[in-house]
Amino acid sequence: MNTTFFDLLWQLKQELELNGAETIDLPTFIDDPQYRRRILQAADIKALNPAYRQILPELLDSQPLNITRQVRRVPTVKTLHSGGPVHTVESGRKGPGFMTGLLIVMVLLAGVAGLVEFTGDKVVSDLISTAGINRGQDTAPVEAVTAAATAAVAAGASRAPAAASAEAVETLFRLHGSNTIGESLAPELLKAFWQQQGARNVRVEQQDIEVERDVLFSLPGKTALQRIELKAHGSSTGFKGLLSRDADLAMASRRIKDAEKTRLAPLYGDLSSVRTEHVVGMDGLAIIVHPRNPLGSVNTAQLAKLFSGEISNWQQLGGPNQPVRLYSRDENSGTWDSFNSMVLKKHGVALSAQARRFESSMELSDRVSQEPGAIGFIGLPYVLRAKALAVADEAGALPVFPTTFTVSTEDYPLTRRLYMYEPMTLALNSPAHQFINFVTSEEGQEVVRKSGFISQNIQRIQPVLSPELPAEYIALTQGGSRLSLNFRFNSGTFDLDNKAQRDLERVIRFFEKNPGQRAVLIGFSDSTGSAGHNRKLSQQRAGIVRDQLLARGINVAEVHGLGELAPVASNASATGRERNRRVEVWVRDRTRAPAPAS
């Protein structure tokens, strides 16, 4: 059985704190040798489990820790736990049998014990001196040396198969969760990132299970083949993988649930914080039908009736006399969670038992495109040969097609954010953290765009405004162009949400590249409360964004608040009201006179 070096560190942190040590910041403990040494020299080393004492010399050394390796668990050490982030050297050749390995360990341990008996405390003193621990903090001589020998045997057993095999594989990190992300986007991001790092022969290797693949490549200076494990069984499985320590990063096509956050917090910190929750791209939940279906648009109430089975024939919506065939993603899917939340729960219905469920996005889309009468929901890149419908948030509202712009601004009713969740315990120099940094960069977002999803890199367009929009709004935006984002806020607060905090940097880069342009901020509210109060709230939200941009050196020419005018979602639901509370960013040339302040 194996355990990981990272797992030992996490368990060591918990044991030290239980034995009276100060609260340990694990990333600092991993990255800062002086911090490690201070913590360990203040600890009661004798009280530690021998499984942790075997790694003391490495912890007290000034060299960077290699947390990306796996150590073989020795049978005599029963306190180690398997699991955790897997960083392993694998081989296709079998190692020595269990009994043979046990015999070797016992012989070596006996030899070490004899050496201790013969040399007395000198061996122990040398070990303590090497580790940098004061003699007063005795480490139980026989146990310490035994543990060191055990670690050496384990390391030797771990290395032997790799040395004997020409195709040794080292797993750098494991990425589990959303099929929407994992089926096509994650492989492309991984390939682009490792190619940027100088990797050669980057390839994606399909495993026995359809939604499981390995990304394999070679790195300069590394003899082992490098591996990223990719399992895309659905968003909830990413969080389950973090909980069981079978995954290092979680992919999700919906935000982490409160129950998941609570379960994972003792292990990884607050996964909803700006440091751990990363929006990797935008996606529109497309409603797809057979290409010959004459229907052009639908509202969410009609969608709820269709997928609950209340509408069972297309004739009920003015279409042909043809039965409705329902296609849905499976229970583990974040796509399903999003649709369930945005459509079914919103209208108080449940999915029909007649719906066919699919784990694969591509398979669902392919089935819908081939069967007249079929309807399904899917991530925007998976529309493929099917037909996407325009969607209105409520009856009588203007239907909106899922386009790059309407999804990036979240004006399309069934827009969702795609996430990767990074435990706070990951070292800043770890491959997984460096990959996350790439994904959210301009280069990474360009990969998102090329993969068919919606990039967060800013676009500037001059939208065609509907004459049904309020005259005040049309006057303010006349002749201007709009940036492809909206600033939104944490629910019930005036605090910018995680995406908005990162979008500030994107807006700054845009104006740095376009110095002759002026920013115009327009705030909006939901319809709760009086019109005058709502206008003040919307002005306040726009002012918050202005202050944030001013603090970063960006001058804002105009700030307006239009209250509840021009809603993009229904005010009848909490999620709709939250989407309506937003700040749009418009851009004008400096030659145009400013509009009167509102």
Side-chain angles (χ1 to χ4, degrees), residues 536-554:
K536 289 180 181 178
L537 289 175
S538 65
Q539 182 83 23
Q540 186 175 352
R541 288 193 177 92
I544 288 170
V545 175
R546 175 202 57 204
D547 293 344
Q548 292 290 336
L549 291 175
L550 288 174
R552 291 162 172 80
I554 303 299

Side-chain angles (χ1 to χ4, degrees), residues 31-217:
D31 294 334
D32 187 344
Q34 292 184 348
Y35 177 77
R36 277 200 307 275
R37 186 177 293 271
R38 180 174 63 80
I39 292 293
L40 292 171
Q41 287 181 336
D44 182 2
I45 300 300
K46 188 174 182 179
L48 284 180
N49 187 298
Y52 306 132
R53 294 206 295 272
Q54 66 174 306
I55 62 173
L56 288 179
E58 184 172 354
L59 294 180
L60 288 154
D61 192 82
S62 60
Q63 298 299 315
L65 295 181
N66 177 15
I67 65 170
T68 62
R69 78 170 197 276
Q70 188 179 47
V71 293
R72 190 176 298 276
R73 192 168 93 177
V74 180
T76 53
V77 182
K78 297 183 179 180
T79 53
L80 299 182
H81 300 279
S82 61
V86 174
H87 305 289
T88 180
V89 176
E90 300 174 355
S91 169
R93 181 176 300 184
K94 291 184 179 180
F98 174 79
M99 293 304 298
T100 303
L102 179 60
L103 180 60
I104 293 171
V105 171
M106 292 177 65
V107 170
L108 286 174
L109 293 181
V112 170
L115 177 64
V116 172
E117 184 70 25
F118 179 74
T119 59
D121 277 351
K122 186 178 186 308
V123 172
V124 178
S125 299
D126 289 344
L127 178 63
I128 293 172
S129 177
T130 301
I133 300 175
N134 294 331
R135 185 67 178 95
Q137 295 170 321
D138 203 323
T139 58
V142 175
E143 291 181 354
V145 178
T146 299
T150 298
V153 173
S158 173
R159 286 193 296 268
S165 171
E167 193 66 6
V169 179
E170 181 180 1
T171 299
L172 298 179
F173 61 87
R174 299 159 303 167
L175 187 58
H176 292 191
S178 166
N179 179 264
T180 299
I181 302 171
E183 196 159 25
S184 63
L185 177 57
E188 292 304 316
L189 286 168
L190 286 165
K191 287 193 292 184
F193 170 66
W194 289 110
Q195 286 168 349
Q196 186 189 77
Q197 301 301 305
R200 302 182 302 272
N201 303 321
V202 183
R203 65 185 187 272
V204 179
E205 190 172 281
Q206 181 64 52
Q207 302 303 298
D208 293 338
I209 299 174
E210 184 179 1
V211 293
E212 295 185 3
R213 282 169 285 179
D214 287 345
V215 178
L216 302 169
F217 50 91

Side-chain angles (χ1 to χ4, degrees), residues 180 253 281-286 335 342 378-382 402 407-408 412 414-418 452-454:
T180 299
S253 53
M282 307 295 293
D283 186 25
L285 201 63
T335 304
M342 291 189 284
I378 207 70
L380 196 57
Y382 301 104
V407 171
S408 60
Y412 174 64
L414 302 184
T415 295
R416 61 180 175 169
R417 300 173 179 185
L418 303 178
F453 290 90
I454 309 304

Side-chain angles (χ1 to χ4, degrees), residues 289 293 295 306 312-320 322-324 373-375:
V289 294
N293 191 317
L295 192 68
L306 280 163
S312 58
N313 193 295
W314 288 106
Q315 200 171 32
Q316 295 171 259
L317 293 177
Q322 193 170 50
V324 174
I375 185 171

Side-chain angles (χ1 to χ4, degrees), residues 304-424:
K305 290 178 180 179
L306 280 163
F307 279 89
S308 66
E310 184 178 341
I311 295 177
S312 58
N313 193 295
W314 288 106
Q315 200 171 32
Q316 295 171 259
L317 293 177
N321 182 11
Q322 193 170 50
V324 174
R325 304 294 185 189
L326 301 175
Y327 289 83
S328 167
R329 288 294 312 280
D330 67 312
E331 288 282 350
N332 286 326
S333 165
T335 304
W336 156 250
D337 282 334
S338 298
F339 183 81
N340 192 33
S341 173
M342 291 189 284
V343 176
L344 300 180
K345 286 184 178 180
K346 174 182 175 181
H347 294 283
V349 298
L351 182 68
S352 168
Q354 303 303 313
R356 297 189 61 184
R357 311 298 292 267
F358 291 86
E359 185 177 46
S360 168
S361 299
M362 288 185 176
E363 185 181 0
L364 187 154
S365 181
D366 191 51
R367 294 291 186 91
V368 170
S369 69
Q370 295 180 37
E371 183 177 350
I375 185 171
F377 54 88
I378 207 70
L380 196 57
Y382 301 104
V383 173
L384 304 176
R385 295 183 178 89
K387 173 185 173 181
L389 301 178
V391 178
D393 200 40
E394 57 187 353
L398 188 68
V400 179
F401 276 100
T403 67
T404 299
F405 190 81
T406 61
V407 171
S408 60
T409 59
E410 300 179 275
D411 290 346
Y412 174 64
L414 302 184
T415 295
R416 61 180 175 169
R417 300 173 179 185
L418 303 178
Y419 298 90
M420 285 187 187
Y421 286 88
E422 172 195 10
M424 202 170 289

